[in-house]
Amino acid sequence: MSSDTQNDNEAVTFADLGLSSKVLSAVSDAGYTTPTPIQAGAIPQALQGKDVLGIAQTGTGKTAAFVLPMITRLEKGRARARMPRTLILEPTRELAAQVEENFVKYGKNHRLNIALLIGGVSFDEQEKKLERGADVLIATPGRLLDHFERGKLLLTGVEILVIDEADRMLDMGFIPDIERICKLIPFTRQTLFFSATMPPEITKLTEQFLHTPVRIEVAKAATTASTVTQRLVKSGSKPWDKRGVLRDLIRAEGDEIKNAIIFCNRKVEVSELFRSLVKHDFDAGALHGDMDQRARMAMLAGFRDGKLKLLVASDVAARGLDIPDVSHVFNYDVPIHSEDYVHRIGRTGRAGRSGKSFTIATRGDTKYVDAIEKLIGKEIEWHDGDLSTLTESDEDHGHRGRGRERAGRGRERGERHPRDEHRARKTRDVSETAEQPSAAVVPAEALEERRNRKEAIKANNAEREPHRDNEQPRGNGRQDRPRRYRDEDEVNTVVGFGDDTPAFMKVAMKV
Ligand code: AMP
């Protein structure tokens, strides 16, 4: 199915796809009536036991496209101890957890044993689940192989293998692991393979491990949903200019913002912008690739549950996450890779809903804006005049402009003087403590967390469970690699800060 034929399935309902009545009832309880194109294309094929090559990105409903037929097929047969019946490989822990949520939602009328094997969680609990016999095993490649090597897992009973987000697996260096896992699973299995793009390495993998697959392709990566209103917003190039522009935009959108993701290009900007927004009393959280697992999950849960309105994030942290119903996307930075723009904008306007995106652009961003417009095949409208209309006060938004506004009041609470900002930046650049911003102000939650640190660290020391702190690509000498221990890892992080934890907070918390 190509993107041009996405509407061909308009008349198709879930009942037409061959799913079991128990699954149909769960789908209907979830509130879905019409299958998305990838679901309409993949489900009937998967139910017939065929290999499927699905070229689709997140937001297209691809998770249900493999979860629903899998649950239907699992109705026959039973799991045996340590021999999972199905295996789903995900590149990150968050995606794995999301897939588990889908199995819980759509499998509510079934008694499925689901085991989630991800890093950062104790082996013992995961082993117990394997021992009980898993119908569904959802894993990140590294942790799966760890269990296999410990002799706790047999992959010879796997009937269905799902490889999800294959191009992301490639980005993260997981392809050798995937190849190894594929060879451990019986040749007769069914394979459902999903990737947003098909670079040559991925094509090679599909040729090696899929048997005459049915290819289903939806929405090219270069398209942005027509339901998203996209605007460019001019700004001076200094951080305080951009932060001022962003605050004004958020205030102007007001109650229209149900929740928003604010994208930055670098994790250091994520931390700085997060702190600045909190200082200015915005309801903000942050998410970047270096935060520890607990902090990431807590932040994400808060955002999903509506407890946090604004989430500042980097591309790496946000890619692939299913955060439903985001009303706004703000690009604090114009993405350097134009495909990232498409991914970012894809966070809003999902499943036909309307959404808004604002991209803050400075004079230096012109070539990146041009590349994006070329990729998406259209010009993006300017919100309030293009860069040629930049005035002096636009160029110095948070300083001189605001200075006039606030005559006699001094700088706004928490706003650093531009000169100090410049100095701080210079020091950071030179020392390349680079991604360690100085913490002028620590949010209240971080202070609270700091107070609880000793307790948490003591508890962790008692456990001393070896774990892979993050799913890292592995080389040949896997067994020789030094293990890290939970307490070492976590002593160096504070919820909400990850590896950006200011040095003084780490020192204070050592036991
Ligand atoms: P995914 O591409 O799997 O990350 O799914 C994107 C979002 O679409 C998720 O929030 C799903 O719950 C939602 N979704 C999945 N299937 C449908 C459907 N048939 N109709 C409307 N929304 C759906």
Side-chain angles (χ1 to χ4, degrees):
M1 183 180 309
S2 78
S3 54
D4 304 330
T5 59
Q6 275 184 47
N7 295 328
D8 291 358
N9 68 307
E10 255 166 13
V12 176
T13 68
F14 277 107
D16 301 326
L17 302 180
L19 294 163
S20 76
S21 55
K22 285 201 250 178
V23 171
L24 284 176
S25 146
V27 170
S28 147
D29 290 350
Y32 302 136
T33 49
T34 314
T36 64
I38 187 78
Q39 292 164 356
I43 291 173
Q45 306 289 348
L47 285 170
Q48 285 176 36
K50 292 190 185 148
D51 279 6
V52 170
L53 169 57
I55 303 169
Q57 56 195 81
T58 36
T60 55
K62 76 175 161 67
T63 316
F66 60 81
V67 171
L68 302 180
M70 283 175 83
I71 301 177
T72 299
R73 294 199 67 197
L74 281 166
E75 284 177 11
K76 289 199 193 97
R78 282 195 60 195
R80 284 182 285 164
R82 287 191 282 152
M83 289 183 74
R85 297 180 63 198
T86 62
L87 170 62
I88 299 151
L89 293 173
E90 292 289 336
T92 67
R93 302 157 180 179
E94 285 86 356
L95 284 168
Q98 249 168 236
V99 171
E100 185 191 28
E101 283 167 23
N102 272 257
F103 271 100
V104 171
K105 179 163 71 174
Y106 301 124
K108 61 187 264 200
N109 302 319
H110 296 75
R111 278 202 180 164
L112 293 174
N113 284 338
I114 306 169
L116 186 63
L117 304 188
I118 53 176
V121 180
S122 106
F123 275 86
D124 285 352
E125 218 175 289
Q126 296 179 348
E127 277 170 10
K128 274 185 210 142
K129 287 209 166 168
L130 288 175
E131 201 56 51
R132 253 182 263 144
D135 297 294
V136 180
L137 180 57
I138 307 162
T140 46
R143 185 49 81 103
L144 181 90
L145 286 170
D146 278 346
H147 278 280
F148 184 79
E149 279 161 14
R150 288 161 73 120
K152 303 291 177 188
L153 180 62
L154 286 168
L155 292 172
T156 45
V158 172
E159 299 156 34
I160 306 173
L161 168 68
V162 177
I163 299 171
D164 195 17
E165 302 267 337
D167 51 353
R168 185 133 185 239
M169 300 267 199
L170 174 71
D171 289 346
M172 295 174 77
F174 285 148
I175 298 302
D177 283 356
I178 302 286
E179 285 174 340
R180 191 169 160 216
I181 294 166
C182 283
K183 286 175 188 159
L184 295 170
I185 299 176
F187 190 70
T188 50
R189 67 171 185 259
Q190 177 185 17
T191 307
L192 310 175
F193 190 103
F194 293 87
S195 191
T197 56
M198 288 298 288
E201 297 91 332
I202 297 296
T203 304
K204 200 171 142 229
L205 200 65
T206 60
E207 285 164 358
Q208 205 181 346
F209 295 110
L210 299 188
H211 308 301
T212 53
V214 181
R215 184 182 167 111
I216 299 152
E217 187 167 355
V218 300
K220 287 179 234 147
T223 52
T224 48
S226 56
T227 48
V228 183
T229 309
Q230 302 171 54
R231 294 287 179 269
L232 288 165
V233 187
K234 64 174 187 276
S235 168
S237 55
K238 300 287 184 284
W240 53 90
D241 294 327
K242 294 174 73 173
R243 290 201 290 261
V245 167
L246 178 69
R247 288 196 297 272
D248 289 350
L249 274 173
I250 297 172
R251 287 183 185 125
E253 286 297 296
D255 289 344
E256 270 198 52
I257 302 181
K258 184 170 167 274
N259 52 3
I261 306 185
I262 304 167
F263 283 100
C264 299
N265 285 355
R266 299 186 310 147
K267 61 187 174 186
V268 66
E269 275 154 2
V270 172
S271 302
E272 285 182 355
L273 182 59
F274 160 63
R275 273 194 281 274
S276 166
L277 287 168
V278 170
K279 271 181 247 164
H280 284 270
D281 294 329
F282 288 97
D283 185 9
L287 197 69
H288 61 71
D290 283 353
M291 282 164 73
D292 74 35
Q293 178 66 2
R294 237 171 359 127
R296 278 203 277 179
M297 289 304 229
M299 210 47 105
L300 205 54
F303 190 67
R304 278 211 192 102
D305 300 346
K307 289 178 194 141
L308 268 180
K309 201 165 174 178
L310 308 173
L311 186 68
V312 189
S314 62
D315 294 289
V316 176
R319 197 178 259 212
L321 292 182
D322 176 26
I323 303 161
D325 205 14
V326 176
S327 70
H328 286 63
V329 166
F330 295 97
N331 288 321
Y332 176 75
D333 298 305
V334 180
I336 290 164
H337 304 291
S338 41
E339 314 84 64
D340 284 338
Y341 179 83
V342 180
H343 285 293
R344 291 179 183 186
I345 302 302
R347 308 280 106 200
T348 184
R350 288 182 161 206
R353 295 187 198 101
S354 63
K356 271 187 172 182
S357 83
F358 292 94
T359 300
I360 299 176
T362 69
R363 288 207 169 101
D365 293 323
T366 310
K367 67 176 175 190
Y368 302 123
V369 171
D370 289 349
I372 290 166
E373 291 182 335
K374 196 166 159 220
L375 178 74
I376 64 173
K378 63 177 178 192
E379 279 189 14
I380 310 170
E381 240 179 80
W382 288 90
H383 174 59
D384 189 18
D386 64 20
L387 285 166
S388 67
T389 65
L390 265 181
T391 62
E392 204 191 319
S393 75
D394 293 327
E395 294 274 13
D396 208 353
H397 200 110
H399 178 43
R400 258 178 294 168
R402 291 225 171 260
R404 276 199 299 274
E405 239 173 67
R406 289 182 270 112
R409 259 203 305 146
R411 260 184 310 283
E412 217 169 301
R413 183 162 65 89
E415 185 73 80
R416 228 188 235 161
H417 188 287
R419 190 186 52 234
D420 299 338
E421 184 93 41
H422 177 68
R423 276 193 195 138
R425 205 165 259 283
K426 234 174 143 187
T427 317
R428 276 200 299 283
D429 286 346
V430 172
S431 65
E432 207 47 322
T433 44
E435 317 264 289
Q436 302 271 355
S438 66
V441 173
V442 181
E445 309 89 281
L447 287 171
E448 173 66 28
E449 181 62 24
R450 205 176 142 194
R451 277 193 285 278
N452 294 330
R453 292 298 297 162
K454 261 192 177 165
E455 289 299 310
I457 292 165
K458 266 186 203 155
N460 281 326
N461 280 344
E463 208 175 325
R464 285 194 77 83
E465 177 71 42
H467 80 124
R468 188 184 298 285
D469 74 322
N470 210 335
E471 286 295 326
Q472 295 293 338
R474 58 190 68 213
N476 296 330
R478 233 160 62 75
Q479 277 104 332
D480 305 332
R481 236 198 358 252
R483 294 269 184 186
R484 290 178 68 190
Y485 287 83
R486 179 179 299 225
D487 48 336
E488 287 168 11
D489 187 27
E490 295 193 351
V491 153
N492 286 313
T493 57
V494 169
V495 170
F497 283 79
D499 284 355
D500 289 335
T501 309
F504 78 89
M505 290 176 79
K506 291 180 199 169
V507 171
M509 296 324 297
K510 281 234 166 103
V511 284

